[in-house]
Amino acid sequence: MKLAVWTYEGPPHVGAMRVATAMKGLHYVLHAPQGDTYADLLFTMIERRDHRPPVTYTTFQARDLGSDTATLFREAAHAAYDRFAPQAMVVGASCTAELIQDDPGGLAETMGLPIPVIPLELPSYQRKENFGADETFFQIVRALARPVEKTARPTANLIGATALGFRHRDDLTELAAMLEEMGIGVNVTAPYDATPADIARLGAAHVNVLMYPETGEAACRWMERELGLPFTKTVPIGVGACRDFVAELAAITGQPARLDTSRLRLPWYSSSVDSTYLTGKRVFIFGDGTHVAVMARVARDEMGFEVAGLGCYNREQARPIRALARDYGVEALITDDYLDVEQRIAELAPELILGTQMERHIGKRLGIPCAVISAPVHVQDFPARYSPQMGPEGANVLFDTLVHPLVMGLEEHLLTMFREDFEFHDAAGPSHHGGHAPRPLSEPEGAPAEAAEFSHPPQSAEILWHPAAERELKKIPFFVRGKARRNTESFAAMRGQHEIDIDTLYEAKAHYAR
Amino acid sequence: MSAQGCQSAPVLRERGQREVFCGLTSIVWLHRKMQDAFFLVVGSRTCAHLLQSAAGVMIFAEPRFGTAILEETDLAGLADAQDELDREVARLLSRRTDIRQLFLVGSCPSEVIKLDLEKAAERLNAQHGPRTRVINFSGSGIETTFTQGEDACLAAMVPALAATEKRQLLVAGALPDAVQDQMLALLSGMGIEDVALLPAARAEDAPAIGPGTVVALAQPFLGDTLAALERRGARHLPAPFPFGEQGTTAWLAAIAAEFGVDDAVFERVTAAPRARARRAVAQAAAPLADRSVFFFPDSQLEIPLARFLTVECGMQAVEIGTPFLHRQVMGPDLAAIAPGPTLSEGQDVDRQLDRARAARPDLSVCGLGLANPLEAEGLTTKWAIELVFTPVHFYEQAGDLAGLFARPLRRRDALRLEGAT
């Protein structure tokens, strides 16, 4: 048993729902107790879908337990077939039904429905949402995809976009435009918007574009083996990744490597003088493995930040993320416990967090700016406006997303220059906080008890701050004060000093000057 | 209108797919009410995910609930699961020393593997009592629907309540603090003091109970709690539920009659707030007059709210669906609703949606899984869960309550989207 208040991922059957809901002409019959329909509202509310997810729940109750639940399953599957007339069906169990061992797959097989019925085995007590999506899509592809004649012109499948995916909708549009630029058509997008009939003709493409390894890799590997379809390994988020992606695609298809940069603004924006202040900003990155990996590259190479730490919550990506962390000279944090993430962030005291909606809240609590780069996300991150992460427009979106939470160059300059001025005093905070200052890190007295354990950046007990040095520290704007305190303390420790006075503070400042 | 109203109307009982929450959802508001309680669900990742989805941003405020997620190893042998539970509880209580009541909440997975939480509660009581009392109840979907979780929780508390011979009023049902204060002020104005409340805000304020106790229900979903209280000798005071001006007045009048409150006193205490509530409802309910309403089952609040909307706001009910219909508890509200609407208990959601589409009601009251899909079909909806979280009982909230139903209709009239397409 493990006590949890918040989870980064839902159970695996929610992953299966993400695939079913992304598709058309497919129905999911889920053996589940009353109440599991709560997951419907993730799709109707967070993603704002205008239809119910294509899922029928058997809704068994306590009095049905025993042989009755199998009958209930058959009835529900029949009723769903009659009412929705799907081209294919997936059947499976939620966590409770897994325990009563009715075997939905076996039951459905004996019903003799005139459509393909695909059984799902999703181990609810071991695996999670992303696995559920990956496995479900893999089973659908395995059941329905067949070798077919290739399209005359070069085409690609876009693989891995699902319902409830972070920016999946707009990434598809952006990718299709990138392919068009290279003279490559889109054969099928899947699971997003695909029908079972579309799945059958996946093999007509010349290449698979694996958009999101979390939800499409198993299917891509199977298609590579069984249908001879190579797939791309680069996820085109960020300018460098887009260029690599185009080169990779060119090598596979023999089409010219072309990237339309006429509307690409990130490189110039990042080079312009107002961005100079972004240099070396310490950033902590957390989310799903794919988004963390691409974002680390964007942060370091395209924004000029320093990656102070990174990690992911999905164990499936633990190995590549550990390797990536080594490349960046930091320690990887692989955990699905948000308290571990909060502790690491407090220890590192970064100037910017890139993460999920949970990191947004951790940032709010610690007074550190944050931008959202990965699921799980809330309703505001399924925006009405066009907001891809991939492709040239995705890069533009990223520049804005990563910069907006920070105090921009001119504003930072003014804050430093007028730090004693009444409008720019400590409590005023940067304008993006809407006039609400973050909780000052150095004054725990007024802070609510729940935040107290993190309100002081960790400091070694034997180092003593002279009151005058403390006062001097407070003159430093709050958003860099955490870093100054840390630097000064490690500088003092390095020199074997146990006390910090004003001189130590400025010696340290000189030492770390860049 | 017959004097019986809908009291003897036939009820359409359906079973099939139910688009409802399970009882675990109740924890989200119950823990706000009981300030020294912690609700530990013993369940799966699904249970944790449900609580997270239902609690929204509240999750980020260190709430006093959590899920002990069952893992593969817990399913292998039962003795092991009990040890694991002891360890998690000990860890939790050492970290949260302010916890005086710990609820072990059963879920579908824990019930199916027959993990005996009653025995666990006894054992943990011996370990952590008397400082922390450990109580167990089931919030599982196989046994409870949405608000029934509160019923199961309160009913589980009743056997341990102290005994008293005192003549007293006990009000059962968690209410928002502001609403509860208004209620106590009205009762106090009529000379009824020392009202016992279930649940109380803190463990040490738990009510005592006995044959001198009369029970007024503030919420309609408390059938099991009522039965448990009756087993302790308490007597039920039937009344309509305190929604709107008339519901509140009838609820107070039943108590006044029981405690022999003078008519003049009753009039003096209620006249001003009654007039205020009538004015507020008249103002807020204008868009509701002569419109039709269809209730999908959700919280058991549907029948009293249908009474308020039809009798006080001039609406016509097409269908009133409820997850569970308790005749004794709902009698007074049913009697006040004019015959006509279909009463349904339970759900087969696809068939019920067919009925709603055929009837094309002006307003559909339903869950968040159905609301946007119905809006997309051109039906105006009011999502039901808000009615459980928002203060809606008694006089001062009567106008707000009407406003909750009127707002979607006002919005539909206000939007001019044809020009935008």
Side-chain angles (χ1 to χ4, degrees):
Chain A
M1 268 178 220
K2 188 174 186 306
L3 186 63
V5 175
W6 201 79
T7 61
Y8 283 97
E9 289 184 75
H13 72 261
V14 169
M17 286 180 71
R18 287 176 54 187
V19 172
T21 306
M23 289 181 63
K24 296 181 162 71
L26 180 85
H27 202 83
Y28 182 19
V29 180
L30 179 61
H31 206 17
Q34 163 173 273
D36 279 5
T37 51
Y38 82 87
D40 282 1
L41 66 89
L42 304 173
F43 300 92
T44 61
M45 298 304 293
I46 296 182
E47 202 180 8
R48 245 186 270 250
R49 286 192 175 250
D50 62 1
H51 56 90
R52 294 170 61 212
V55 182
T56 294
Y57 304 78
T58 57
T59 316
F60 58 83
Q61 292 174 280
R63 61 170 183 267
D64 304 319
L65 292 178
S67 62
D68 238 30
T69 51
T71 314
L72 214 57
F73 177 83
R74 277 195 212 92
E75 285 168 5
H78 267 303
Y81 175 74
D82 292 343
R83 179 175 285 270
F84 300 105
Q87 296 172 23
M89 219 183 238
V90 287
V91 298
S94 79
C95 51
T96 304
E98 189 183 333
L99 298 170
I100 60 177
Q101 300 181 332
D102 275 338
D103 182 20
L107 289 170
E109 205 178 319
T110 60
M111 289 170 51
L113 294 174
I115 51 167
V117 177
I118 303 156
L120 300 175
E121 295 286 347
L122 302 174
S124 314
Y125 297 90
Q126 295 168 313
R127 309 305 293 265
K128 297 178 213 159
E129 179 178 331
N130 279 328
F131 169 83
D134 192 51
E135 171 70 13
T136 301
F137 182 55
F138 163 57
Q139 293 298 345
I140 290 171
V141 169
R142 200 176 70 147
L144 303 179
R146 294 285 170 269
V148 287
E149 198 180 326
K150 300 272 181 216
T151 53
R153 75 179 282 222
T155 55
N157 299 317
L158 304 184
I159 301 296
T162 66
L164 266 191
F166 176 63
R167 308 293 166 89
H168 288 194
R169 177 196 69 196
D170 296 342
D171 282 349
L172 281 169
T173 309
E174 190 69 10
L175 262 186
M178 281 176 86
L179 296 179
E180 192 58 44
E181 183 66 21
M182 289 177 64
I184 301 172
V186 174
N187 181 49
V188 169
T189 67
Y192 207 99
D193 273 349
T195 62
D198 293 333
I199 300 294
R201 55 184 189 81
L202 279 169
H206 295 232
V207 59
N208 275 333
V209 172
L210 175 55
M211 299 173 68
Y212 310 102
E214 272 83 358
T215 50
E217 187 161 350
C220 277
R221 288 194 182 283
W222 184 86
M223 285 187 272
E224 184 175 53
R225 214 169 48 238
E226 303 293 328
L227 304 177
L229 265 180
F231 67 93
T232 54
K233 313 291 189 295
T234 313
V235 175
I237 297 180
V239 181
C242 281
R243 293 194 197 285
D244 292 352
F245 172 78
V246 163
E248 186 185 4
L249 205 53
I252 294 173
T253 60
Q255 293 293 110
R258 269 205 300 259
L259 182 68
D260 176 10
T261 55
S262 59
R263 291 179 305 117
L264 177 64
R265 285 176 281 269
L266 180 144
W268 163 241
Y269 269 52
S270 205
S271 312
S272 74
V273 292
D274 196 57
S275 298
T276 310
Y277 290 81
L278 302 176
T279 314
K281 287 256 186 220
R282 300 175 67 256
V283 55
F284 179 81
I285 311 175
F286 196 83
D288 67 51
T290 296
H291 283 90
V292 166
V294 292
M295 222 48 78
R297 180 174 178 185
V298 172
R300 185 184 64 184
D301 299 345
E302 298 171 22
M303 303 296 287
F305 295 149
E306 177 195 334
V307 176
L310 56 81
C312 71
Y313 57 77
N314 49 339
R315 288 188 183 279
E316 290 87 350
Q317 299 281 330
R319 196 178 300 179
I321 288 300
R322 286 213 176 87
L324 182 80
R326 275 194 296 277
D327 290 350
Y328 280 72
V330 295
E331 198 189 332
L333 177 67
I334 313 293
T335 183
D336 60 358
D337 186 339
Y338 75 97
L339 293 172
D340 293 345
V341 180
E342 184 169 77
Q343 193 175 349
R344 179 67 63 90
I345 292 174
E347 281 163 17
L348 292 172
E351 291 156 279
L352 176 67
I353 306 167
L354 305 179
T356 73
Q357 61 159 323
M358 180 40 97
E359 282 68 48
R360 204 160 53 83
H361 283 266
I362 292 172
K364 204 183 275 177
R365 174 180 279 192
L366 298 178
I368 302 171
C370 178
V372 170
I373 52 122
S374 162
V377 294
H378 209 17
V379 62
Q380 69 270 34
D381 276 301
F382 286 93
R385 66 175 186 277
Y386 185 56
S387 331
Q389 301 274 287
M390 291 183 177
E393 186 57 23
N396 296 339
V397 168
L398 279 183
F399 181 86
D400 290 346
T401 308
L402 268 51
V403 158
H404 280 175
L406 293 169
V407 179
M408 280 303 285
L410 184 60
E411 195 177 344
E412 181 164 333
H413 180 65
L414 290 172
L415 274 168
T416 315
M417 211 156 81
F418 301 118
R419 67 188 174 207
E420 302 296 334
D421 196 284
F422 74 99
E423 274 184 300
F424 294 102
H425 64 87
D426 268 4
S431 54
H432 73 274
H433 281 159
H436 299 289
R439 195 173 296 127
L441 285 174
S442 53
E443 283 137 343
E445 296 82 29
E450 61 190 18
E453 56 184 305
F454 294 124
S455 55
H456 254 306
Q459 49 182 297
S460 63
E462 62 265 29
I463 288 190
L464 185 79
W465 281 77
H466 287 207
E470 277 279 8
R471 274 196 304 278
E472 198 64 18
L473 184 68
K474 280 188 190 170
K475 292 183 190 165
I476 299 170
F478 63 87
F479 45 83
V480 287
R481 197 179 302 147
K483 182 166 76 169
R485 179 186 283 276
R486 267 167 33 92
N487 283 353
T488 310
E489 286 176 2
S490 42
F491 178 75
M494 209 159 64
R495 300 212 308 188
Q497 269 180 249
H498 299 288
E499 298 186 5
I500 293 172
D501 56 16
I502 294 183
D503 278 343
T504 324
L505 188 67
Y506 282 110
E507 291 280 339
K509 187 174 186 307
H511 178 80
Y512 289 106
R514 57 181 177 217
Chain B
M1 191 203 295
S2 85
Q4 285 279 297
C6 280
Q7 226 173 349
S8 51
V11 176
L12 175 65
R13 288 198 174 76
E14 283 193 307
R15 58 169 312 175
Q17 178 175 329
R18 287 185 167 204
E19 189 80 22
V20 289
F21 284 125
C22 66
L24 295 182
T25 325
S26 303
I27 293 171
V28 177
W29 69 85
L30 273 178
H31 90 285
R32 306 281 310 146
K33 191 68 201 173
M34 294 189 242
Q35 294 163 12
D36 55 4
F38 192 98
F39 293 80
L40 180 62
V41 177
V42 182
S44 63
R45 178 167 298 279
T46 310
C47 306
H49 198 234
L50 158 88
L51 281 177
Q52 177 170 324
S53 309
V57 294
M58 210 184 274
I59 281 289
F60 303 109
E62 290 258 7
R64 281 170 286 102
F65 61 81
T67 309
I69 296 183
L70 292 165
E71 292 169 327
E72 185 92 300
T73 48
D74 300 304
L75 305 177
L78 290 182
D80 194 28
Q82 298 279 6
D83 292 346
E84 292 270 304
L85 185 59
D86 287 5
R87 194 197 62 212
E88 284 302 325
V89 166
R91 260 181 49 185
L92 172 70
L93 292 180
S94 65
R95 233 171 24 127
R96 307 287 296 265
T97 48
D98 52 327
I99 303 302
R100 306 296 306 278
Q101 309 179 72
L102 176 69
F103 290 94
L104 294 181
V105 190
S107 65
C108 301
S110 75
E111 309 263 315
V112 166
I113 62 170
K114 306 216 182 313
L115 185 59
D116 192 343
L117 291 183
E118 199 174 327
K119 197 177 270 173
E122 272 174 33
R123 189 179 64 243
L124 289 164
N125 247 325
Q127 284 171 31
H128 301 286
R131 179 169 171 76
T132 304
R133 175 188 285 284
V134 185
I135 303 166
N136 96 284
F137 70 93
S138 171
S140 74
I142 57 179
E143 283 174 307
T144 59
T145 305
F146 195 27
T147 50
Q148 275 182 306
E150 176 171 336
D151 193 21
C153 174
L154 301 190
M157 296 172 77
V158 171
L161 295 179
T164 180
E165 296 295 314
K166 198 168 77 174
R167 167 88 171 138
Q168 65 170 358
L169 173 68
L170 182 145
V171 180
L175 292 171
D177 289 345
V179 174
Q180 183 176 298
D181 291 346
Q182 291 168 18
M183 173 189 80
L184 293 174
L186 286 164
L187 292 171
S188 161
M190 297 192 292
I192 303 168
E193 308 279 357
D194 290 334
V195 179
L197 298 171
L198 185 71
R202 313 195 70 85
E204 70 252 28
D205 301 328
I209 182 151
T213 305
V214 285
V215 180
L217 298 180
Q219 301 280 20
F221 42 75
L222 297 176
D224 287 353
T225 304
L226 180 60
L229 290 167
E230 284 174 337
R231 279 197 292 278
R232 296 286 306 266
R235 185 161 50 82
H236 177 219
L237 205 52
F241 286 90
F243 297 114
E245 181 263 315
Q246 295 181 30
T248 305
T249 303
W251 189 85
L252 290 170
I255 295 168
E258 172 69 23
F259 285 85
V261 175
D262 191 81
D263 283 354
V265 173
F266 186 82
E267 188 58 27
R268 177 166 51 74
V269 172
T270 60
R274 281 180 78 171
R276 230 177 5 247
R278 259 199 306 270
R279 271 201 313 276
V281 171
Q283 207 171 338
L288 299 177
D290 299 321
R291 306 257 203 152
S292 58
V293 60
F294 190 112
F295 281 90
F296 286 81
D298 190 58
S299 61
Q300 298 185 51
L301 293 172
E302 297 84 5
I303 288 170
L305 290 176
R307 200 266 315 142
F308 167 69
L309 290 177
T310 55
V311 177
E312 301 191 39
C313 303
M315 294 191 89
Q316 272 112 40
V318 179
E319 174 164 339
I320 309 168
T322 179
F324 183 72
L325 200 162
H326 195 298
R327 290 260 171 208
Q328 178 196 353
V329 171
M330 297 294 182
D333 279 298
L334 280 174
I337 299 173
T342 303
L343 289 184
S344 65
E345 183 183 18
Q347 188 176 36
D348 180 323
V349 70
D350 286 309
R351 281 194 214 157
Q352 193 168 35
L353 282 167
D354 288 343
R355 293 199 295 278
R357 289 179 184 121
R360 296 212 58 87
D362 294 311
L363 188 66
S364 300
V365 184
C366 61
L368 290 173
L370 299 179
N372 270 337
L374 284 176
E375 290 281 350
E377 292 182 28
L379 293 175
T380 303
T381 62
K382 167 71 217 127
W383 45 284
I385 189 171
E386 192 177 10
L387 299 161
V388 179
F389 288 101
T390 312
V392 290
H393 295 69
F394 295 100
Y395 291 128
E396 310 307 342
Q397 285 67 240
D400 301 342
L401 178 59
L404 286 178
F405 294 99
R407 193 175 302 125
L409 291 166
R410 281 180 22 228
R411 180 167 182 78
R412 171 142 296 220
D413 294 341
L415 292 178
R416 296 279 179 269
L417 294 174
E418 315 79 53
T421 51

